[in-house]
Amino acid sequence: MDFRHSQLLAQILEKETGRRKPKGLAHAVCLAVPLIWALWQLWVTSPLPFALHVGVFNDTAARSIHLAFALFLAFAGFPLFRDGPADRIPLYDWLLALAAAFCAGYLFLFQGQLADRAGRPEPLDIAVACAGMVLLLEATRRVMGLPMTIVAIVFIIYAFAGPYAPDIIAHKGATLSRGASQFWLTSEGVFGIPLGVSTSFVFVYVLFGAMLEGAGAGRYLTTLAFALLGHLRGGPAKAAVVASGLHGLISGSSIANVLTCGPVTIMLMKKVGFSAEKAGAVEVAAGSNGQIMPPVMGAAAFLMVEYVNIPYSELIRHAFIPALLAYASLLYIVHLEACKMGMEGLPRSTSLRLQLLGWGISLSSIILLVGALYYLTAWIPALFGSLAWAILLPLLLAVYLGLLYLSTRVPELPEEGDEALMRLPRALPVLCSGLHFLAPILALIWCLMVLEMSPGLSAFYACVLLSFILLTQWPLLALMRGEPVKPALLKGCSRFFSSYIAGSKNMVGIGLATASAGIVVGSVSLTGIGQVLTGVVEILSMGSLPLLLILTAAFCLILGMGLPTTANYIIVSTLLAPVIYALTSAQGLMTHLVAIHLFCLYFGVMADATPPVALAAFAASGISGGNPFKTGVQGFLYELRTAILPFVFLFSPEILLINIESPLHLAWVVATAALACMAFASVTQSYMLTRNRLWETLLLVGVTIALFRPELLRDRFFPPHETLPPQEVVRTIESLRPGDIMRLKIASDNGQIVKERYLVLPVRAGTVGERLASAGLAVDLRGDVPLVTGIDVDSHAEKIGLGASDEHRILGIETNLPQPPKFLFALPGMLLLAIVFFSQKRRKAEEDRFKTEKSAIFL
């Protein structure tokens, strides 16, 4: 790694954790404050305040303290300019840190007085709000850079300069008093939902990831991935993908994934023949997708839970299959790259037969152990009630001690050096060496999915278990190995505190990003630009849904050039998610809100790998020594297989496990989606068994479309709906049962343009008038053509763009027509795939025979 790339990597690390490394008292403060922050966050998240009736903080107070900590650490940890002092904190930064913390904590310190004068701020309130906004923008500039700061400033200016804006986006503007209340003194701006999610959920998950890394789980997962896949063709690259996927279980940060796995994976990929740029690009693509990998999907996922109003466990269920497909297709891309370069895997340390035997015994034992624990944790509470914990805790402790003892019976993990990792470790001993690391991950999943606890409470219990592991694993291992206990005990305490501090420092950027993004949210609600934007985007997209989605994807990528994924998602979901929902509904599609928000998230994640500003690519190139721009371009090409998924699940929500009717249906959906992903990967790589010919690439494009969306072909020959005339509207609505889908075709006339839209919604119980009223429509049903006489504010009808001042009439109602099963129309895609496969198989055999004959002649 040369000096230039070392500098790039250092800049990435500085952005992630803070640049300054002060000494003396300043150093102690910069350690004590994040430690206190972490402990306070755990206290707020835990059930203890409500159980003990001590230290209970309401939402606004908690958000206020959370931002105060983030602002203090931002000014203490990041200098005014890049070349500022790194070994000390100047007096002006101490003053700014204290002032910023006071402004953020103002809502907590004076919450009673502010509640009494809500909407009537005093001069001191306005002054604190203005100072707080300036300090927040400066802290954001220091930590996140100029792009996020500029975006926030633009929306602030727009809020006050509305009367001077172009007519299409003009509004009456806001006074200083109104703006101060909106942005700082209420929960409508900076202290809104984004910062609330950062306070309630995100912190404990970031802390959980930092603690797992401190405990050694990151190294364990990376080594396990190499032991499992290192012997395959291009094995180190495949191991990099799996390792990053496993890290995605605990991290939720693309840059953290790259910096954690990259030093090992990139080095080994280069050893087996990958270029520096391709090795870095594989790690970029794998690391970026960590943010879409459940159960820990990054801060944006927790915001999505609030915006979509679904349990986090349900979001995990929706996101699991697409994330799995993204990683599976990346594995396939790596395999294609290895085949193109004629790579081989690392040599096995033992025979395949012995490995399979060992794996069979070990996996059977693990399954039996997990099954026994599952039934015991179900039966014991039922039998012993409130005394169950007295039995379960010793049982879990015994399992933990047993797993630690098992890890002492196998060799320790290899060191992270060239020679150590070029000798492929045996997978079974590696697995046994860290099974206790899986306990907190399983506990998190158990609390989320089985006990259906809140995300914050689930992470709290996982963090408590992980804290116990951090403090005890090294002393217990030393005791079991007959080694000195005191150094191991000191190591455990050191890792415990350093993990808490690292988790808090990692949260500074996220806290500021959510707070600054709250400015955008507050400005949108203050100015009403969201309603205007629907019309603007509809004009730009010319009413074309595919073009609208492409514009949204491009907007995400452009924003992502300067914004982190969290801020990117907040802005795009605030501005464009309602637009996508309105236009898809207006075109007659029953689009699920979670699919729209996942669409925004996926392209926000892709921005981390999109040049020219791709932080994950800069981090990877800093490790690989490759060109950052070329690494970013190659990573973006690898990420194209992720970009296709959002367009699929918007129209085919079965991939999100929506409308799945049976296990067989699920198996078919997963199998066809996997084949479609592989076909698309072969298109992007122009390779399957051998180099694609043009006609093969075109057929593979057809395979991708046919397998992902077989309904396109079916609907061509068997229309899904029939439009009945307006005279049939009343009779048809009466015949619908509760739960059926009502599809009304409505014409809107604003005096200049007549637009036709669809209103699609589930039918509720009641009369025809009540069913129409559930969509926000008051309709005169007496004539041959039903006329809309009124539209409710914030109703479904208003959200799809039906204006209250326009004239609307119902042109008809659509009824469902019988259609053949969708899977029949995926069969042509299967046939095309088979044609390409056997064509390339025959050509590959001829190429191999030619190479063999050529080698024989040469010899």
Side-chain angles (χ1 to χ4, degrees), residues 223 226-228 230-231 236 264 267-268 271-272 345-350 412-427 430:
T223 309
F226 274 101
L228 290 171
H231 65 281
V264 178
M267 177 270 295
L268 282 174
K271 284 280 186 180
V272 298
L346 299 176
R348 295 178 185 268
S349 54
T350 59
E412 294 188 53
L413 294 178
E415 296 297 326
E416 296 180 356
D418 287 11
E419 298 303 322
L421 280 175
M422 284 307 292
R423 294 190 299 269
L424 189 65
R426 293 175 57 196
V430 171

Side-chain angles (χ1 to χ4, degrees), residues 603-620:
F603 281 100
V605 167
M606 278 198 65
D608 279 345
T610 304
V613 183
L615 290 181
F618 274 93

Side-chain angles (χ1 to χ4, degrees), residues 337-360:
E337 290 281 17
C339 290
K340 284 191 282 186
M341 291 183 275
M343 294 180 182
E344 297 294 336
L346 299 176
R348 295 178 185 268
S349 54
T350 59
S351 68
L352 177 60
R353 182 177 179 182
L354 289 177
Q355 284 194 14
L356 290 176
L357 179 61
W359 273 102

Side-chain angles (χ1 to χ4, degrees), residues 5-25:
H5 289 108
S6 298
Q7 289 293 97
L8 289 171
L9 182 57
Q11 290 175 16
I12 297 294
L13 288 168
E14 288 164 8
K15 266 199 167 185
E16 286 289 294
T17 59
R19 182 169 187 254
R20 283 193 178 118
K21 304 295 180 186
K23 301 175 182 177
L25 180 61

Side-chain angles (χ1 to χ4, degrees), residues 316-587:
I316 290 175
R317 182 170 63 85
H318 290 317
F320 180 70
I321 297 299
L324 204 61
L325 290 172
Y327 272 105
S329 54
L330 182 57
L331 275 175
Y332 183 64
I333 286 175
V334 167
H335 176 75
L336 296 180
E337 290 281 17
C339 290
K340 284 191 282 186
M341 291 183 275
M343 294 180 182
E344 297 294 336
L346 299 176
R348 295 178 185 268
S349 54
T350 59
S351 68
L352 177 60
R353 182 177 179 182
L354 289 177
Q355 284 194 14
L356 290 176
L357 179 61
W359 273 102
I361 296 172
S362 300
L363 290 179
S364 299
S365 302
I366 293 171
I367 292 171
L368 288 174
L369 176 62
V370 172
L373 288 174
Y374 172 82
Y375 285 107
L376 286 174
T377 52
W379 289 346
I380 290 175
L383 292 175
F384 297 96
S386 59
L387 298 176
W389 288 108
I391 300 171
L392 284 174
L393 287 180
L395 176 64
L396 295 176
L397 179 61
V399 172
Y400 171 59
L401 293 174
L403 294 177
L404 282 181
Y405 179 76
L406 179 63
S407 69
T408 64
R409 302 297 94 190
V410 297
E412 294 188 53
L413 294 178
E415 296 297 326
E416 296 180 356
D418 287 11
E419 298 303 322
L421 280 175
M422 284 307 292
R423 294 190 299 269
L424 189 65
R426 293 175 57 196
L428 188 56
V430 171
L431 174 69
C432 296
S433 68
L435 281 173
H436 58 285
F437 291 132
L438 303 181
I441 300 174
L442 292 175
L444 175 65
I445 297 173
W446 180 270
C447 291
L448 280 172
M449 305 301 294
V450 179
L451 301 182
E452 295 186 350
M453 294 182 180
S454 70
L457 192 57
S458 301
F460 167 75
Y461 285 123
C463 285
V464 169
L465 178 56
L466 195 47
S467 299
F468 177 76
I469 292 174
L470 271 169
L471 290 171
T472 62
Q473 69 167 338
W474 284 290
L476 289 173
L477 286 172
L479 191 64
M480 293 174 181
R481 289 170 177 153
E483 299 172 352
V485 176
K486 185 177 179 181
L489 184 60
L490 292 176
K491 180 180 180 181
C493 292
S494 173
R495 289 291 185 92
F496 174 81
F497 289 114
S498 63
S499 297
Y500 273 57
I501 293 168
S504 295
K505 287 186 175 181
N506 292 342
M507 269 303 299
V508 173
I510 297 175
L512 295 179
T514 52
S516 299
I519 295 174
V520 177
V521 177
S523 180
V524 170
S525 61
L526 178 64
T527 61
I529 191 176
Q531 296 293 329
V532 176
L533 196 63
T534 302
V536 173
V537 173
E538 190 172 9
I539 292 172
L540 291 175
S541 64
M542 297 175 288
S544 168
L545 183 57
L547 184 55
L548 168 65
L549 297 178
I550 292 171
L551 287 174
T552 304
F555 186 49
C556 289
L557 295 178
I558 292 170
L559 278 179
M561 291 180 184
L563 305 186
T565 303
T566 304
N568 189 342
Y569 167 73
I570 293 171
I571 293 172
V572 175
S573 62
T574 301
L575 294 176
L576 293 181
V579 178
I580 297 174
Y581 180 76
L583 293 185
T584 53
S585 298
Q587 293 190 18

Side-chain angles (χ1 to χ4, degrees), residues 454-771:
S454 70
L457 192 57
S458 301
F460 167 75
Y461 285 123
C463 285
V464 169
L465 178 56
L466 195 47
S467 299
F468 177 76
I469 292 174
L470 271 169
L471 290 171
T472 62
Q473 69 167 338
W474 284 290
L476 289 173
L477 286 172
L479 191 64
M480 293 174 181
R481 289 170 177 153
E483 299 172 352
V485 176
K486 185 177 179 181
L489 184 60
L490 292 176
K491 180 180 180 181
C493 292
S494 173
R495 289 291 185 92
F496 174 81
F497 289 114
S498 63
S499 297
Y500 273 57
I501 293 168
S504 295
K505 287 186 175 181
N506 292 342
M507 269 303 299
V508 173
I510 297 175
L512 295 179
T514 52
S516 299
I519 295 174
V520 177
V521 177
S523 180
V524 170
S525 61
L526 178 64
T527 61
I529 191 176
Q531 296 293 329
V532 176
L533 196 63
T534 302
V536 173
V537 173
E538 190 172 9
I539 292 172
L540 291 175
S541 64
M542 297 175 288
S544 168
L545 183 57
L547 184 55
L548 168 65
L549 297 178
I550 292 171
L551 287 174
T552 304
F555 186 49
C556 289
L557 295 178
I558 292 170
L559 278 179
M561 291 180 184
L563 305 186
T565 303
T566 304
N568 189 342
Y569 167 73
I570 293 171
I571 293 172
V572 175
S573 62
T574 301
L575 294 176
L576 293 181
V579 178
I580 297 174
Y581 180 76
L583 293 185
T584 53
S585 298
Q587 293 190 18
L589 297 174
M590 192 72 177
T591 309
H592 295 267
L593 200 56
V594 67
I596 295 173
H597 281 263
L598 279 173
F599 182 95
C600 299
L601 174 62
Y602 268 56
F603 281 100
V605 167
M606 278 198 65
D608 279 345
T610 304
V613 183
L615 290 181
F618 274 93
S621 64
I623 298 168
S624 70
N627 181 286
F629 184 78
K630 290 182 179 178
T631 301
V633 170
Q634 188 65 56
F636 178 76
L637 293 176
Y638 289 155
E639 279 286 77
L640 285 177
R641 99 277 173 206
T642 302
I644 194 175
L645 289 172
F647 289 96
V648 172
F649 56 59
L650 266 180
F651 299 100
S652 301
E654 291 95 340
I655 296 180
L656 301 179
L657 300 183
I658 297 173
N659 300 331
I660 296 295
E661 299 171 357
S662 66
L664 188 61
H665 183 196
L666 173 61
W668 174 260
V669 167
V670 173
T672 53
L675 287 174
C677 285
M678 304 310 171
F680 185 72
S682 294
V683 171
T684 61
Q685 296 301 303
S686 190
Y687 195 97
M688 191 162 74
L689 300 179
T690 185
R691 291 283 179 186
N692 292 351
R693 290 175 176 168
L694 178 60
W695 67 270
E696 292 172 336
T697 298
L698 294 176
L699 285 186
L700 287 173
V701 171
V703 169
T704 305
I705 296 172
L707 295 182
F708 267 138
R709 295 206 59 200
E711 65 272 13
L712 290 178
L713 184 61
R714 181 185 66 177
D715 294 349
R716 182 81 175 176
F717 296 99
F718 300 92
H721 308 294
E722 178 187 19
T723 303
L724 299 179
Q727 295 83 357
E728 299 290 326
V729 168
V730 174
R731 182 186 62 80
T732 304
I733 294 177
E734 286 178 340
S735 67
L736 294 175
R737 296 171 297 180
D740 289 345
I741 301 299
M742 179 168 61
R743 302 170 57 89
L744 294 175
K745 189 175 183 180
I746 299 177
S748 303
D749 186 355
N750 62 2
Q752 297 177 343
I753 301 174
V754 178
K755 294 183 179 179
E756 293 185 358
R757 306 173 187 269
Y758 285 91
L759 191 151
V760 185
L761 74 161
V763 175
R764 299 181 182 178
T767 63
V768 173
E770 291 170 342
R771 290 179 172 183

